[in-house]
Amino acid sequence: MNAPYRERRPTSSAAAAAGAQVQRRRQQRGMSQAELARRTGLSKATLSQLEAGVANPTIDTLDAIAVALAIPLTDLLTPAGETGILHRPSTIATEQGPTRELLRRISGGNSLEIWRLRLPPNTTVDGVPHAPGTTEHLLIATGQLIAGPTDDPRQLGPGDMLAFAGDAPHSYRTDDTHADVTVVIASPVAR
């Protein structure tokens, strides 16, 4: 007697995105699938299918993976951020009360460094590429600055925010005014 046929559900785009995040985070930590399988109690085949985007994981499965990778579960449920440049021009504050704006969410599993960069007029600084997967975030307090990847720099002014891949050549250049910049460097944590 044949076992009843069970139709397999197609993989959702959310499951495929979660699988891509699992693979990305595992590789950022230099962890093999076998090691992640050992830490989670899942089979290597299950992890392979998940990372390939052909499995529909449960929340419990993703939670076990998040714990093993030492990241928040939401990092696996959020599609990978745009790996390109993110430029947010400044906005005008209202007079009616405080204004709050989320400029960028930096997901778990990163080491964060916050720097204050003060550049005198007519200064150029070539940034040294950081570790693979690093993202730099610049928030301009005062002055004008041309900054970002050397092959795609952006003109920035007070209140502007720029995020770009910090693992590639980049630079910062002022005009005839000084610039005061907050720099946040987010680097993947190897576990």
Side-chain angles (χ1 to χ4, degrees):
M1 186 169 179
N2 289 337
Y5 173 75
R6 196 165 92 190
E7 186 176 334
R8 185 175 184 171
R9 290 184 326 188
T11 306
S12 70
S13 60
Q21 283 286 48
V22 168
Q23 182 178 44
R24 179 172 159 258
R25 297 307 185 127
R26 177 183 60 76
Q27 290 174 341
Q28 283 177 340
R29 283 154 181 70
M31 190 184 298
S32 69
Q33 278 186 342
E35 176 61 17
L36 184 56
R38 184 189 71 73
R39 290 184 185 194
T40 59
L42 301 170
S43 73
K44 187 176 170 195
T46 298
L47 285 173
S48 181
Q49 288 181 335
L50 176 62
E51 288 185 2
V54 296
N56 283 306
T58 66
I59 290 295
D60 287 341
T61 298
L62 292 176
D63 186 52
I65 292 169
V67 168
L69 293 172
I71 59 174
L73 174 61
T74 55
D75 284 6
L76 297 179
L77 301 174
T78 306
E82 184 66 36
T83 57
I85 297 172
L86 173 63
H87 179 190
R88 295 206 191 276
S90 69
T91 57
I92 298 172
T94 66
E95 297 295 322
Q96 288 77 29
T99 303
R100 295 187 312 174
E101 297 175 74
L102 175 63
L103 297 177
R104 175 80 171 209
R105 179 180 182 274
I106 301 172
S107 61
N110 285 288
S111 167
L112 297 180
E113 294 179 359
I114 302 174
W115 294 82
R116 185 171 191 180
L117 176 63
R118 294 178 177 150
L119 296 169
N122 303 308
T123 300
T124 299
V125 175
D126 292 325
V128 177
H130 304 284
T134 298
T135 304
E136 276 202 32
H137 304 79
L138 310 179
L139 181 59
I140 313 306
T142 61
Q144 300 291 317
L145 187 67
I146 297 174
T150 55
D151 61 351
D152 192 11
R154 303 297 168 100
Q155 176 72 43
L156 306 169
D160 288 353
M161 195 277 284
L162 179 70
F164 58 91
D167 55 5
H170 52 281
S171 64
Y172 321 90
R173 185 174 74 235
T174 57
D175 57 13
D176 57 354
T177 62
H178 76 279
D180 192 339
V181 183
T182 299
V183 180
V184 177
I185 300 172
S187 302
V189 175
R191 302 238 179 225

